[in-house]
Amino acid sequence: MIHKIKKGIAYILILTLLPLALCCCSGNNAASPSPTDDIVLTPSPTLSASNSSVQNTPSPFNPLFAFYSDYNAYSKKQLSEYVIALEGANDETLLKLFNHLFYSTLPMNTVGLLISSTSEDYYGSLFDGFEGSGSMLTYDDRYEFSYDFANGERLWGTFNKDGLSFYKSFSGTEDYYKMTLLKTEEGYTSTCRTQNETTTLHVTAQEITFN
């Protein structure tokens, strides 16, 4: 099982980011980054047909997706090297890292794929990997977002130019996780608080610390 998860992490870290290519198929003129600029840390769902019909939008490129694109481009090399160092040497830390990356990047492949309406707000529905629907509302100093998964679970939080703070609920329980991803002077810091522990990932231009 651990061997399969390790292979899955390595595969995830070398994948290029697909959601923007899907967004570009929706009839807008948003520029696509180089395929090597980003990595997928959570599986990518695809846009529903209702999103594909959105046209003549003032700002089709989602700012939350842009924030994660910058984060992925910045941290890709360091994360890849860190995963290689952990493989076979520290399986427990590797599993914790995989869990941390999965939850701390959920907004990218859900709310981050929503397309703007005729206003400055973002709405839409997705299917496949993270089937559901959500919205992101624009305020002067922040965005407020939520995403309702088809299985009854929910993601919600706030986002600004310096980062985001959000929560994830689970079906059949009142438990929830809290995550943050913040841009700092040194790089990026993310946290994932579960019912049992809190993990923290610091990424700078030279190194990674995870505990």
Side-chain angles (χ1 to χ4, degrees):
M1 176 180 178
I2 291 176
H3 178 66
K4 290 182 179 179
I5 293 176
K6 289 194 296 183
K7 288 182 64 177
I9 294 174
Y11 178 68
I12 287 169
L13 289 171
I14 63 173
L15 286 176
T16 55
L17 194 57
L18 300 179
L20 184 58
L22 297 170
C23 291
C24 290
C25 294
S26 63
N28 62 64
N29 295 319
S32 174
S34 168
T36 60
D37 286 344
D38 304 299
I39 54 177
V40 171
L41 298 181
T42 49
S44 300
T46 53
L47 290 169
S48 68
S50 61
N51 279 346
S52 299
S53 64
V54 177
Q55 297 187 24
N56 301 319
T57 57
S59 180
F61 192 65
N62 189 303
L64 181 58
F65 184 90
F67 181 85
Y68 271 104
S69 295
D70 291 341
Y71 167 63
N72 289 339
Y74 181 90
S75 62
K76 178 174 60 177
K77 180 177 182 292
Q78 300 92 309
L79 277 172
S80 298
E81 292 175 349
Y82 188 62
V83 167
I84 291 172
L86 289 177
E87 287 183 339
N90 194 329
D91 292 332
E92 181 180 357
T93 299
L94 191 64
L95 292 173
K96 287 184 178 181
L97 177 64
F98 178 68
N99 188 71
H100 181 101
L101 293 175
F102 178 85
Y103 284 106
S104 63
T105 60
L106 272 176
M108 177 180 67
N109 285 325
T110 53
V111 180
L113 293 184
L114 304 181
I115 298 176
S116 66
S117 66
T118 55
S119 67
E120 295 181 346
D121 299 328
Y122 295 76
Y123 300 92
S125 297
L126 307 175
F127 63 95
D128 288 348
F130 296 114
E131 182 179 359
S133 61
S135 66
M136 184 166 70
L137 306 181
T138 303
Y139 296 90
D140 290 339
D141 60 344
R142 71 191 188 284
Y143 299 91
E144 294 185 359
F145 62 85
S146 64
Y147 189 84
D148 294 303
F149 296 88
N151 64 1
E153 298 180 352
R154 194 165 193 261
L155 181 76
W156 71 97
T158 60
F159 162 67
N160 59 33
K161 63 182 180 64
D162 297 318
L164 61 159
S165 176
F166 58 99
Y167 302 84
K168 171 68 166 59
S169 69
F170 297 89
S171 297
T173 177
E174 295 183 356
D175 294 342
Y176 61 87
Y177 289 2
K178 178 180 180 179
M179 283 70 64
T180 62
L181 174 59
L182 304 176
K183 186 175 183 179
T184 67
E185 292 182 359
E186 294 79 21
Y188 290 87
T189 297
S190 59
T191 64
C192 178
R193 189 184 73 193
T194 70
Q195 301 303 310
N196 301 317
E197 64 179 348
T198 298
T199 53
T200 303
L201 176 67
H202 299 285
V203 183
T204 70
Q206 291 77 35
E207 63 180 359
I208 279 180
T209 58
F210 177 68
N211 50 60

